Amino acid sequence: MTNYDVVTIGETMLRLTPPNFLRLGQAKSLDVEVGGSESNTAVGLGRLGAKVAWVSRLPRNPLGEIVTQTLTGYGVDTSYVQWSDRDRLGLYFYEEGPAPRGSRVIYDRAGSALSRMVPAHLPEGLFQPGRARLLHLTGITPALSESVAQTLQKAVMLAKQAGWLLSFDVNYRGKLWTTTAARMGCAPFVTTADILFMPLRDAVAIYGVAGDAETAVSQLHREFPHATIVLTLGKEGAIGCEANGGHIVRQPSFPAVGEIGRLGGGDAFTAGFLYGYLYANDNPLPNALGWGAATAAIKYTIPGDMPLIEKSEVEALLTSDGLGRRLSR
Amino acid sequence: MTNYDVVTIGETMLRLTPPNFLRLGQAKSLDVEVGGSESNTAVGLGRLGAKVAWVSRLPRNPLGEIVTQTLTGYGVDTSYVQWSDRDRLGLYFYEEGPAPRGSRVIYDRAGSALSRMVPAHLPEGLFQPGRARLLHLTGITPALSESVAQTLQKAVMLAKQAGWLLSFDVNYRGKLWTTTAARMGCAPFVTTADILFMPLRDAVAIYGVAGDAETAVSQLHREFPHATIVLTLGKEGAIGCEANGGHIVRQPSFPAVGEIGRLGGGDAFTAGFLYGYLYANDNPLPNALGWGAATAAIKYTIPGDMPLIEKSEVEALLTSDGLGRRLSR
Amino acid sequence: MTNYDVVTIGETMLRLTPPNFLRLGQAKSLDVEVGGSESNTAVGLGRLGAKVAWVSRLPRNPLGEIVTQTLTGYGVDTSYVQWSDRDRLGLYFYEEGPAPRGSRVIYDRAGSALSRMVPAHLPEGLFQPGRARLLHLTGITPALSESVAQTLQKAVMLAKQAGWLLSFDVNYRGKLWTTTAARMGCAPFVTTADILFMPLRDAVAIYGVAGDAETAVSQLHREFPHATIVLTLGKEGAIGCEANGGHIVRQPSFPAVGEIGRLGGGDAFTAGFLYGYLYANDNPLPNALGWGAATAAIKYTIPGDMPLIEKSEVEALLTSDGLGRRLSR
Amino acid sequence: MTNYDVVTIGETMLRLTPPNFLRLGQAKSLDVEVGGSESNTAVGLGRLGAKVAWVSRLPRNPLGEIVTQTLTGYGVDTSYVQWSDRDRLGLYFYEEGPAPRGSRVIYDRAGSALSRMVPAHLPEGLFQPGRARLLHLTGITPALSESVAQTLQKAVMLAKQAGWLLSFDVNYRGKLWTTTAARMGCAPFVTTADILFMPLRDAVAIYGVAGDAETAVSQLHREFPHATIVLTLGKEGAIGCEANGGHIVRQPSFPAVGEIGRLGGGDAFTAGFLYGYLYANDNPLPNALGWGAATAAIKYTIPGDMPLIEKSEVEALLTSDGLGRRLSR
Amino acid sequence: MTNYDVVTIGETMLRLTPPNFLRLGQAKSLDVEVGGSESNTAVGLGRLGAKVAWVSRLPRNPLGEIVTQTLTGYGVDTSYVQWSDRDRLGLYFYEEGPAPRGSRVIYDRAGSALSRMVPAHLPEGLFQPGRARLLHLTGITPALSESVAQTLQKAVMLAKQAGWLLSFDVNYRGKLWTTTAARMGCAPFVTTADILFMPLRDAVAIYGVAGDAETAVSQLHREFPHATIVLTLGKEGAIGCEANGGHIVRQPSFPAVGEIGRLGGGDAFTAGFLYGYLYANDNPLPNALGWGAATAAIKYTIPGDMPLIEKSEVEALLTSDGLGRRLSR
Amino acid sequence: MTNYDVVTIGETMLRLTPPNFLRLGQAKSLDVEVGGSESNTAVGLGRLGAKVAWVSRLPRNPLGEIVTQTLTGYGVDTSYVQWSDRDRLGLYFYEEGPAPRGSRVIYDRAGSALSRMVPAHLPEGLFQPGRARLLHLTGITPALSESVAQTLQKAVMLAKQAGWLLSFDVNYRGKLWTTTAARMGCAPFVTTADILFMPLRDAVAIYGVAGDAETAVSQLHREFPHATIVLTLGKEGAIGCEANGGHIVRQPSFPAVGEIGRLGGGDAFTAGFLYGYLYANDNPLPNALGWGAATAAIKYTIPGDMPLIEKSEVEALLTSDGLGRRLSR
């Protein structure tokens, strides 16, 4: 019986992307990728060396199997997945383009197997003391349906009973709900989370904090004093605030010369952060922020949604000058 | 204001197919095709030189536009399409494989824009005397939803009022409804059709006729005496029975050496048949059966769902020994 | 009977390009695109929502049909194309490479069907009052052959008689004629044009104006006082001068972060300009220049020659900060 | 702690194949597959639903990880793989061509990590009573090096001590050793195997039996009376002889209309046979032969080396007329 | 200074083919091949081990260089090619399709550099005694232009003066000239050839011989008594008649299971024949016919126009049962 | 009998690269390139117009033939290659990625045919006075095996006896040997070279010179006074020092806007330098440095390892402003 560092729950979809920056209307073929915020983070953690299980619900057909085949191949335990004989797999069509065209997503996820997950689908036996150290959730999932939101709430209750940590990434998606609905829908998770991630712009939009990073993180600390809070700042990096004390740590971003894979950078940050947090000898916040920033920077050079990055690559970047040139020490 | 030979109504989907006979789980990319029984027939008619309009309902996004862009490029008028701002485009994943593996289809069409078409979406102005000679429908469409079935019934009423012919292809799909439901659902169309297509095996399963082609077509003629009836017989070709008289005509199939595009052969047959029927100088049934069989035989050599075939190619086959070698006369 | 916003006449070729920046000698396959200055502009206008017809001459074979299939699919009316049973389709081989290699074109257009177009091929019935608002021509076409030049002159005469506007893009190509020949060959068009486009460097080379944009546009205005004059300035944007008054308007370019599709930027500018000009409520020149610059900027991110751009995308760029980030107003 | 149906040991290589039947000298790219007799069988068993572990030795680099990523994704436990920091991954270049050209293999496996496996690399803890039901080996592996041969002998000893069954496929490869060397090198395995597979032609060449299938299997039964013996006969199917009794069972082959994936058919047969053998309610030999023949027939339609076949597909073929048309019962 | 077995003169074009049996109108890319009857034969001879020079005229641009790069890479000396600064490279678009669709060629070779070759372009210094054993020409080349026909006649005169053999393949192309014109245009070559190839159907159409192979070859022998005459018979193989004696030899064809590369089979036959003829110890005709038939059979399994076949592969087929299975002797 | 400008000896490998910046673990196919420092330089020289022969040892199989086919096609004489019936072709897997990921190489060259080359494999007859002007070697080759190092030493002796120049590029590879071993292993070549290339960083690491370019080149000049010394400085260009006089020449680099082909830039520099050196009218060092820098800059825009660059392209860059825009003079 395997014990896990991290257990996560969420939806993973098939991503279909025209090759070579073609528009959808120009493409004769679409590249197939697998993507989902939680499973991206799970794959990142798995490649770095952590033990991870991903809990979800998939249709029992070759499309659903592409998801488990891919995640399993990259080191994620998918044995807790629930299989549906009726529902479909969520899809999204992703057209990549540089500015000013920009990228474009057409989500096609209504009626997916995950969106019809109910609390009874949870593998309760998994939620035992010692079976995992941390449960990771994001704000995408409770936005998908009422039954999924209830499922996550039950998972949080079970995880807390088992003594696991909870990490939560607000990950606001304007196509799924309003900021008001997101604030209400995320409340059960942000109030109980031990680690809380959100982009600064979501903090402003949802929690009404100031636009200045240090002020914002302090305001959030006052509202959620028991959580380690991490605000991601785009090209400005990230800022963290320790739980219960409010010590603030800044982390610049690592420069990314070329951006090949725009999607999944935030999930890569979370993967690196959680790895650095769980495996830090001491002083977890600065260590975790560094691992998060380095993992995200490398992700931006990798096609697809997933941070297929080895531990040694993150370590090399952390001890280099930031462009991958190793410092002489 | 264009007048049409044929107007047709139906659903067209995006088809996603692994290249080179890979299984879905092996593919890193999927070839994009556009397919739908009625639009396949419309494209075939358009390529042969007929004027055709295709009426449908599509989502107003780049996926919906792929459909109109493709059909328009192949000569079909799509200006009567209704655009939906909310619904999705139907999809199907098609894995091609030779026997004994066989091909495999995963339909993903629930909630499509077409399935939510209602009678009010019909372009009533189109259904005027002289605007078209024939309305073509298939039994796939009424199986999709109750509102679509009502839409088709209204279309038939309008077409009949305008003095158009009606052709109907039963096109039974076991994944959509039972044979009993199909019999009931198709009743409004088979009883009013001037031309009625069905495979022999569907005739047996739905209308309980005998398995012998000549007996079957005679039984159907007694049941639907006012329709020209066409039974397709797979490798044995087709058999037709003239309306109101019962004269029976047999048509052998043309040999197809290689089968590259299995899908869409029936739709190609219908396209060829209707072209031969509408443009025959006299004796339309034998002429139409020959055009149908020749068009279908060439289609089996063309990738994708659509019969991209020129009139001269069908004519060459009709005056050759059946393998494309032109006879010396 | 459709009425058009714009009618255009010109040559469209098959473009064959090695994928992934390979040199021609390295390629095992060539990507197929369709390109021609006038049809690029026509497609751009069609995608933005204008009604456009493209008049040309093509060989009656599958290569010629690729051209009409593509343009029709993107919304351009090709029903006035003349089909030749003897001539060939013009081709060009285009090798893309960043500086200092640069791109390289091998034209292979001698003997094309369009180059053998004569005045009698013109669809005279089209040139009626009210059938179109504007005829668009470029200086590439009269350079192709004497008979084509005569054809264009007749078209201008017919258009003027019908009361249409004339727009003309000098579009000088050094591989086709000298600047002296271009000056003479373009004279029938620049002297009658209502809108006149040219790059500043061509204005200098052909019309001997000063190299400074404002001086150049004023000098051209004095020479062609009845035309709205537009000089494109590369990364400096464009400058326009109103007909009959000489009011000068400057338009900066929108920054393009990545350049994927170098070809066709000027044609996209023209498409955007004409759309903005024809649909402006008032003050057409500034509006048209903005639409031109925005359409061109987005084009530089799209593979191939054609501006496959939706109206909403141009509008979003025009109300953003120029990188596609929408301004809050 | 998982228990397995089958544990297998062997070498898996990267296969590099020109696409579309090109010769190696024509190819600008090579398709990447993963192939090895034992892992092919393991994947087949895993896809059918059995629990399988594959023991091997791989280089600790991205090429070695492609192997575990692929096998794990298809359901094989690779956690017992030994990782080498020095050796290379075996490769083979495979050029596919129909007769009379035929296919061509260039092996490039010298110095591979597996060829340097020694008995100490075996995961001894795995070889416990109840951890597995059967150990599967092939004659390819002892041919690779003396140290590998010793490793397999130790594995057989451990498996027998743990009470597991042993299955052995002679799988003679003329590029690796002579028939005389093969007879000697396979002796430790054929004499202890509970199930013994070999093609008839190898039985003739190595064990000197008659060329007639029934005589051959009887002669082998006399020599290895305690093993269930299976001779594969190519298009004639297979013949089996029960251990200790000599009851002979014939199994015709299922017709394969198209042959897309020639490699790996024998390994697919073994996978199907072992699945049918281990899961038979009674009368294992006829059941196993049927599952073997059906699995092999479907494999011949699948690109690559691995039998990516679902249990339901084999069952459907076993209850059909052999071409995948389900019988009506 | 190299001496050659064979010198040949002719046109080589770029072939552009849609992949995967797509129609031209469906393709987003075209595969690039190099093809020409004489250079196909030259490559075949070069791969078998003969020394060959190919004389032609090409445009001095990257397209012309693709031709020499390809032929040189496959072992043909292209140093006698004349480079033109003005003319174009001939092209052909080739759409492959199985019956009844059949394949389709669009030639686009007018104005090619080779078609403007004149006698002065011949490398006269090459035509010396001992520099080559044989000059090979085909009936395609004199059909291209009058100046090319004169160039070939001069080449024949020079070759005869130097004591070389002449081989001539009638290779009738109905798209280039009528049978009457072909008879006249080929007269200077068929009357002086030492080896004369033609398909039986061309012999019937051009020289009016009987349709029966043995009668036909005898009639041709009477007309051209000093030539070894070879009639190719498609699936019936070939028949040869020795010069000056009339001894007739029949050669069955080798079965080809799959036909991947239809084009170039005749050129491969010629390559094999000439190799077998020039390298025979004795009895050249039967030996040459066997090598011709075997080389052609293998060619039918190779994509593209060229017989990329090794000597050992032909030898293996000649000593096998015809399907590549080596006979035990 | 051809005389050469340059003869070179070295190893060439097959390079296998995932397309589109994929990681190795993501790729379903690998692009095939041919690469080796000396043959890259040879191809560059050949494309510029020099006569070049490449001496090496390859396996006699289709992989070895890919190497000669490619190099011959690009104009390099490979007729002195020794063919081995036993050894393998060296390979390397090259994963391209922008910073901070960076590129990654997995060499798989142990046991290659070249690494087993011995002095007796040298084509002694080639090393005659007048057969070549210069022998070019690099420090990669003596690092491969002792027997190869001895082979090179014999080649240098033969070349010197024939009166040829020797050029040597240190080309230090840390994966092959230490700096100490490199210093010893390169000694026989650096002490006899007439032209000596090395990157500044290798000069520092191996010869202990100062890090400042001018000081470094002066120190090397004192140690190797009879050689023209060239230090490459990355983005700072190059610096050269004339033999026997010590005159120093600086050469800035040409800006490269996009870097598509990172590998082979140094080999391109060497090709350009040697071409400029051998063909200079006077003042060879500045001329050679300019040709080297321009050839390298263009190479960075070309996929693969080889500088496929025409003489006119280098000349155009040398007379432009460095971005390929031609200066007006």
Side-chain angles (χ1 to χ4, degrees), chain C residues 144-159:
Chain C
L144 296 177
S145 76
E146 181 55 31
S147 75
V148 173
Q150 291 167 2
T151 305
L152 289 199
Q153 291 179 41
K154 181 174 171 198
V156 166
M157 190 197 68
L158 294 170

Side-chain angles (χ1 to χ4, degrees), chain E residues 9 42 106-107 123 132 157 213:
Chain E
I9 309 175
I106 301 175
Y107 285 108
M157 188 197 70

Side-chain angles (χ1 to χ4, degrees), chain B residues 17-180:
Chain B
T17 297
N20 300 322
F21 300 106
L22 291 171
R23 306 218 76 167
L24 275 163
Q26 296 176 292
K28 286 290 283 184
S29 72
L30 298 172
D31 290 339
V32 177
E33 306 279 349
V34 157
S37 177
E38 300 82 8
S39 62
N40 294 345
T41 295
V43 163
L45 282 160
R47 299 292 294 175
L48 291 173
K51 290 208 177 296
V52 199
W54 173 75
V55 177
S56 191
R57 191 160 178 269
L58 291 171
R60 193 191 304 281
N61 66 25
L63 302 179
E65 285 169 16
I66 288 173
V67 174
T68 50
Q69 169 187 325
T70 304
L71 300 185
T72 307
Y74 288 131
V76 174
D77 189 331
T78 62
S79 58
Y80 299 97
V81 165
Q82 303 291 313
W83 296 94
S84 158
D85 285 324
R86 300 191 38 187
D87 302 319
R88 59 188 294 264
L89 184 69
L91 308 171
Y92 64 110
F93 296 83
Y94 177 63
E95 185 185 288
E96 269 186 314
R101 169 152 64 111
S103 293
R104 176 172 191 162
V105 181
I106 301 176
Y107 285 108
D108 183 14
R109 67 201 301 179
S112 72
L114 184 281
S115 74
R116 293 176 178 162
M117 196 174 187
V118 299
H121 289 138
L122 276 181
E124 291 204 22
L126 170 64
F127 291 83
Q128 304 302 324
R131 289 299 310 283
R133 299 172 63 187
L134 184 144
L135 173 69
H136 175 66
L137 304 175
T138 82
I140 295 170
T141 322
L144 296 176
S145 76
E146 182 54 31
S147 74
V148 173
Q150 291 167 0
T151 305
L152 289 198
Q153 291 180 40
K154 181 174 171 199
V156 166
M157 189 196 69
L158 293 170
K160 287 283 167 185
Q161 287 174 352
W164 304 0
L165 296 173
L166 174 67
S167 93
F168 186 76
D169 182 351
V170 167
N171 225 337
Y172 174 67
R173 296 289 159 93
K175 292 200 177 185
L176 292 176
W177 52 6
T178 63
T179 54
T180 307

Side-chain angles (χ1 to χ4, degrees), chain A:
Chain A
M1 201 161 64
T2 319
N3 293 334
Y4 303 98
D5 294 303
V6 173
V7 168
T8 185
I9 309 175
E11 175 163 41
T12 296
M13 296 176 282
L14 220 57
R15 168 182 136 184
L16 298 167
T17 298
N20 301 321
F21 299 105
L22 291 170
R23 304 217 79 165
L24 276 163
Q26 296 177 292
K28 287 288 284 183
S29 71
L30 298 172
D31 291 338
V32 178
E33 305 279 349
V34 157
S37 177
E38 300 82 6
S39 61
N40 294 346
T41 296
V43 162
L45 282 160
R47 298 292 293 175
L48 291 173
K51 291 207 175 298
V52 199
W54 174 76
V55 176
S56 191
R57 191 158 178 270
L58 291 170
R60 193 191 304 281
N61 66 24
L63 303 179
E65 285 168 18
I66 288 173
V67 175
T68 51
Q69 170 188 324
T70 304
L71 299 185
T72 307
Y74 288 131
V76 173
D77 189 330
T78 62
S79 58
Y80 299 98
V81 165
Q82 303 292 313
W83 296 94
S84 158
D85 285 323
R86 303 192 37 189
D87 303 317
R88 61 188 292 265
L89 184 68
L91 308 171
Y92 63 110
F93 296 81
Y94 177 64
E95 186 186 288
E96 267 185 318
R101 169 154 62 112
S103 293
R104 176 172 190 162
V105 181
I106 301 175
Y107 285 107
D108 183 12
R109 67 202 301 178
S112 71
L114 185 278
S115 74
R116 294 178 177 160
M117 195 174 187
V118 298
H121 289 139
L122 276 181
E124 291 203 24
L126 170 64
F127 292 82
Q128 304 303 324
R131 289 301 307 284
R133 298 172 63 187
L134 183 145
L135 174 68
H136 175 67
L137 304 175
T138 83
I140 295 170
T141 323
L144 296 176
S145 76
E146 182 55 32
S147 75
V148 173
Q150 290 168 0
T151 305
L152 289 199
Q153 291 180 40
K154 181 174 170 197
V156 166
M157 189 197 70
L158 293 170
K160 287 283 169 184
Q161 286 173 353
W164 303 1
L165 296 172
L166 174 67
S167 93
F168 186 76
D169 182 351
V170 167
N171 225 337
Y172 173 68
R173 296 289 159 93
K175 292 200 177 184
L176 292 176
W177 52 6
T178 63
T179 54
T180 309
R183 181 168 189 148
M184 286 183 57
C186 289
F189 311 106
V190 294
T191 54
T192 52
D194 300 286
I195 306 173
L196 191 52
F197 299 93
M198 71 188 85
L200 174 56
R201 69 165 182 274
D202 292 357
V204 172
I206 298 174
Y207 297 102
V209 298
D212 164 66
E214 306 223 358
T215 312
V217 82
S218 295
Q219 289 176 314
L220 287 170
H221 175 66
R222 277 195 294 277
E223 191 160 347
F224 310 111
H226 304 307
T228 294
I229 293 170
V230 181
L231 291 183
T232 52
L233 310 172
K235 297 206 168 171
E236 275 65 52
I239 192 167
C241 180
E242 287 183 357
N244 303 317
H247 181 63
I248 289 177
V249 181
R250 288 202 78 115
Q251 170 68 46
S253 67
F254 289 85
V257 168
E259 288 203 12
I260 290 171
R262 296 176 175 217
L263 288 191
D267 306 325
F269 179 91
T270 304
F273 185 96
L274 292 178
Y275 188 84
Y277 189 90
L278 293 172
Y279 285 89
N281 291 325
D282 51 14
N283 215 357
L285 184 56
N287 192 56
L289 285 167
W291 276 77
T295 306
I298 300 175
K299 168 62 194 75
Y300 286 125
T301 71
I302 297 174
D305 288 33
M306 292 181 292
L308 303 173
I309 302 167
E310 297 173 28
K311 188 179 170 184
S312 62
E313 293 177 308
V314 180
E315 287 172 336
L317 182 54
L318 286 169
T319 57
S320 77
D321 67 351
L323 280 164
R325 293 185 293 248
R326 189 173 290 248
L327 300 180
S328 54
R329 52 172 173 167

Side-chain angles (χ1 to χ4, degrees), chain E residues 233-266:
Chain E
L233 311 172
K235 296 204 168 173
E236 275 65 53
I239 192 167
C241 178
E242 287 183 358
N244 302 317
H247 181 64
I248 288 177
V249 181
R250 287 202 77 115
Q251 170 68 43
S253 67
F254 289 85
V257 168
E259 289 204 12
I260 289 172
R262 295 175 174 217
L263 289 190

Side-chain angles (χ1 to χ4, degrees), chain D residues 256-272:
Chain D
V257 169
E259 289 204 11
I260 290 171
R262 298 179 172 213
L263 289 191
D267 305 326
F269 179 91
T270 303

